[in-house]
């Protein structure tokens, strides 16, 4: 068996506890307007042009993004930093794209990691059939779970898909007693209105075992990438939230007893 891997980051400290290797699988059924990795979405290798600057010169290099690997090859890469995981309480995070798009490959990788006693995390949009979550629930020590919008129609307009499956899978994981950290990409004017914040609060009140929230404030870092890839940038004119506003939103959630972190 082989799966399509988009990228790997070693020594990552934002994708779960401790020092981690993050493995990005390629392919995602969503089209979030603010996506920072549009090149991770297509389920095939693709050629992109990278621009490197050397003093006043621009060097353009064509690169192929995405390579097919076996689960055993992924494990070999992941094990290179085992000493750092052990020292720091870290492990391996599988991200995307949407990693559950390649669920059979994901199951194999997670099984190999668990057999080695390595802490596993899966970073997901939640948009996958419930049976896919059933397959990985016990192999995953931590879910980093996106909550983009509580209203399904708005969710669809912002991401291209409805949120019914996302909310269903979130409830499922919490009820199964799995550890879930909710990640809320906070996008001014799109999902930081009163109605959405209240709906999020109500969800946390309903799922009392869900007590960790990471707020990921929007930043416009990907704008140049959209230009280079000649993709429509749907975030033109959207500004980053002020620190003050992010703090106020964080305080609201802290006040209902959540452990809130700003940033990944
Ligand atoms: S789920 Fe992630 S990878 Fe997929 S479109 Fe949204 S931000 Fe991009």
């Amino acid at each position: 068996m082989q799966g399509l891997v988009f990228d790997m980051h070693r020594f990552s400290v934002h994708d779960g506890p401790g020092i981690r290797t993050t493995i990005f699988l390629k392919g995602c059924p969503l089209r979030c307007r603010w996506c920072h990795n549009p090149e991770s979405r297509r389920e095939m290798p693709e050629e992109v042009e990278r621009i490197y600057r050397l003093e006043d010169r621009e060097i353009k290099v064509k690169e192929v993004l995405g390579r097919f690997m076996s689960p055993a090859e992924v494990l070999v890469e992941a094990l290179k930093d085992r000493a750092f995981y052990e020292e720091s309480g870290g492990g391996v995070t599988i991200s995307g794209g949407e990693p559950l798009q390649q669920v059979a490959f994901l199951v194999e990788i997670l099984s190999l990691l668990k057999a080695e006693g390595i802490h596993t995390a899966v970073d997901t949009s939640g948009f996958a059939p419930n049976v896919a979550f059933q397959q990985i629930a016990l192999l995953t020590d931590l879910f980093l779970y996106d909550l983009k919008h509580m209203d399904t129609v708005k969710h669809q307009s912002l991401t291209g898909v409805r949120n019914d499956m996302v909310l269903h899978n979130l409830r499922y994981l919490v009820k199964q007693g799995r550890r879930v950290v909710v990640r809320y990409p906070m996008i001014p004017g799109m999902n930081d209105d009163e109605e959405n914040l209240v709906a999020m609060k109500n969800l946390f009140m309903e799922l009392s075992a869900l007590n960790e929230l990471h707020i990921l404030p929007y930043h416009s870092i990907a704008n140049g990438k959209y230009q280079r890839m000649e993709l429509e940038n749907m975030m033109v004119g959207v500004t980053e939230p002020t620190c003050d506003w992010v703090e106020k939103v964080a305080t609201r959630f802290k006040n209902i007893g959540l452990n809130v972190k700003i940033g990944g």
Side-chain angles (χ1 to χ4, degrees):
M1 174 200 289
Q2 289 201 315
L4 187 57
V5 176
F6 166 63
D7 204 356
M8 286 192 195
H9 288 177
R10 298 171 69 190
F11 302 106
S12 163
V13 291
H14 296 294
D15 297 318
I19 294 173
R20 311 187 73 78
T21 296
T22 303
I23 296 160
F24 298 86
L25 305 192
K26 197 164 179 331
C28 181
L30 278 70
R31 292 293 177 267
C32 304
R33 293 184 185 206
W34 53 85
C35 182
H36 288 154
N37 277 325
E39 67 274 44
S40 73
R41 299 187 303 201
R42 294 179 67 199
E43 293 158 43
M44 59 177 76
E46 57 191 309
E47 194 176 77
V48 294
E49 189 174 73
R50 295 243 192 245
I51 301 177
Y52 298 95
R53 292 185 203 285
L54 187 62
E55 295 173 349
D56 56 351
R57 279 195 307 146
E58 253 188 13
I59 301 171
K60 294 183 178 174
V61 181
K62 293 219 186 277
E63 280 177 23
V64 175
L65 295 181
R67 64 178 165 137
F68 287 99
M69 297 178 76
S70 69
E73 287 170 324
V74 173
L75 181 70
V76 167
E77 290 301 315
L79 288 180
K80 286 179 181 168
D81 290 332
R82 176 178 212 140
F84 294 101
Y85 312 150
E86 286 171 1
E87 192 63 32
S88 67
V92 174
T93 299
I94 317 291
S95 183
E98 169 47 65
L100 283 108
Q101 276 281 100
Q102 302 184 61
V103 68
F105 183 53
L106 179 61
V107 166
E108 285 298 315
I109 297 172
L110 293 171
S111 302
L112 291 173
L113 290 167
K114 289 316 300 167
E116 293 288 339
I118 291 175
H119 181 277
T120 56
V122 170
D123 176 16
T124 177
S125 66
F127 188 80
N130 183 255
V131 67
F133 280 94
Q134 289 176 30
Q135 287 178 73
I136 66 163
L138 296 177
L139 298 169
T140 306
D141 296 308
L142 169 67
F143 285 89
L144 302 170
Y145 201 102
D146 288 0
L147 193 57
K148 299 169 197 289
H149 206 294
M150 291 297 295
D151 180 274
T152 197
V153 174
K154 289 183 183 155
H155 194 279
Q156 183 160 32
S157 109
L158 295 174
T159 70
V161 302
R162 295 171 71 88
N163 71 4
D164 314 62
M165 212 153 52
V166 175
L167 294 176
H168 176 72
N169 289 327
L170 177 59
R171 289 186 170 98
Y172 166 79
L173 291 175
V174 173
K175 285 176 185 163
Q176 293 298 311
R178 309 314 298 160
R179 184 174 166 216
V180 181
V181 171
V182 170
R183 285 180 151 187
Y184 162 51
M186 184 176 165
I187 321 289
M190 293 189 181
N191 65 1
D192 64 343
D193 54 285
E194 184 64 19
E195 200 179 334
N196 193 45
L197 295 174
V198 168
M200 283 174 62
K201 186 188 90 177
N202 290 343
L203 180 74
F204 281 109
M205 310 275 269
E206 171 200 327
L207 300 172
S208 54
L210 197 60
N211 56 14
E212 289 182 81
L213 172 68
H214 291 179
I215 298 177
L216 310 179
Y218 168 69
H219 56 82
S220 53
I221 199 165
N223 285 355
K225 201 184 269 187
Y226 275 81
Q227 234 170 14
R228 281 198 304 282
M229 294 181 70
E230 296 177 354
L231 290 172
E232 184 188 3
N233 182 359
M234 298 174 86
M235 299 302 280
V236 174
V238 177
T239 53
E240 299 178 2
T242 62
C243 294
D244 186 46
W245 177 225
V246 175
E247 282 295 343
K248 279 195 174 122
V249 170
T251 303
R252 285 175 70 149
F253 287 109
K254 282 179 190 164
N255 287 345
I256 58 165
L258 298 187
N259 180 4
V260 182
K261 185 174 153 193
I262 296 171

